[in-house]
Amino acid sequence: MKLTKRIIGLTLIGILVGVVVYNTWFSNSDENSETSGEGIFVQPEGVDIETDEIEVGEKAPNFKLETLDGEEVELADFRGQKVFLNFWATWCPPCRAEMPHMQEISNEYGEDVVILGVNATSQETNTDQVSSFVNGLNLSFPILMDKTGKVNVRYQVLSLPTTYFINTEGEVQIPRHVGPLSYEDMEQKIKELD
């Protein structure tokens, strides 16, 4: 009986290791690369939102969300400025890793580059976690609360973090980036944006 359990246990471990090795070495998806149109997007039931892919050169779809402080912020308010539209959550380790870099960029570039952090609030345990996270890192750029998930749906956020780069004309100028960005990556994107 004990031998049978050990064999079953070792077999399951072997299968799991095989899946991890396969996904690591043979998978064609690279979460840290720029992506456009990868994956299948499934719109949640009962949500009626346009979900066409947002192409480079198109106007970024406008939206209005509340900040942690209850202030309403609209994407169109930032026309004339370069915008990094970053989708994130507190439970996402890569999001945690890039947030200090976003704050550095916000400090360094001031009003020339706007960082908008759209929190996937509909996927958070509670908003107190978001507040604690933001306060713990002393984040001063706008944190927008997507309580219904509609903005995440419209921007086809399949994994976090995902960042869109919007130029001064309000157009998506550079393909979205899935995965964390370093400070250097962000500076490069700023140079590319009009």
Side-chain angles (χ1 to χ4, degrees):
M1 183 73 168
K2 285 184 180 181
L3 183 61
T4 304
K5 286 182 180 180
R6 284 186 182 167
I7 291 172
I8 291 172
L10 289 172
T11 302
L12 288 174
I13 290 170
I15 291 170
L16 290 174
V17 168
V19 168
V20 169
V21 168
Y22 176 82
N23 285 335
T24 302
W25 295 102
F26 301 107
S27 177
N28 288 330
S29 68
D30 180 6
E31 288 190 16
N32 291 323
S33 67
E34 294 179 334
T35 60
S36 177
E38 292 181 5
I40 298 172
F41 185 78
V42 179
Q43 180 167 276
E45 191 175 324
V47 176
D48 186 24
I49 301 169
E50 183 181 344
T51 56
D52 292 341
E53 184 176 344
I54 301 166
E55 301 283 342
V56 170
E58 290 181 0
K59 291 278 187 204
N62 193 33
F63 60 84
K64 193 182 290 187
L65 292 174
E66 282 188 7
T67 66
L68 269 171
D69 302 326
E71 177 187 339
E72 253 188 15
V73 172
E74 191 170 353
L75 179 60
D77 294 341
F78 301 99
R79 188 78 37 92
Q81 296 172 288
K82 297 176 182 182
V83 176
F84 282 18
L85 183 60
N86 179 262
F87 294 87
W88 67 283
T90 60
W91 47 262
C92 161
C95 301
R96 290 175 171 268
E98 79 175 349
M99 281 294 173
H101 302 304
M102 296 238 173
Q103 184 60 52
E104 286 180 69
I105 290 293
S106 182
N107 292 344
E108 180 75 23
Y109 289 90
E111 292 186 20
D112 292 337
V113 177
V114 174
I115 307 281
L116 294 177
V118 178
N119 177 261
T121 314
S122 62
Q123 298 176 27
E124 296 282 2
T125 308
N126 60 53
T127 55
D128 291 340
Q129 266 186 306
V130 180
S131 294
S132 295
F133 178 81
V134 168
N135 294 334
L137 289 177
N138 294 317
L139 301 178
S140 62
F141 54 87
I143 301 298
L144 311 178
M145 309 299 284
D146 189 9
K147 295 175 184 175
T148 63
K150 289 181 179 180
V151 177
N152 277 267
V153 169
R154 178 61 191 105
Y155 278 82
Q156 296 190 349
V157 177
L158 299 172
S159 63
L160 299 171
T162 294
T163 306
Y164 281 83
F165 308 96
I166 302 167
N167 65 20
T168 57
E169 299 297 317
E171 300 168 344
V172 175
Q173 184 177 336
I174 303 169
R176 71 181 173 191
H177 182 89
V178 178
L181 291 159
S182 68
Y183 182 86
E184 293 75 21
D185 293 335
M186 292 180 203
E187 281 196 313
Q188 183 59 43
K189 301 296 184 193
I190 290 168
K191 291 175 186 172
E192 293 176 36
L193 280 175
D194 296 332

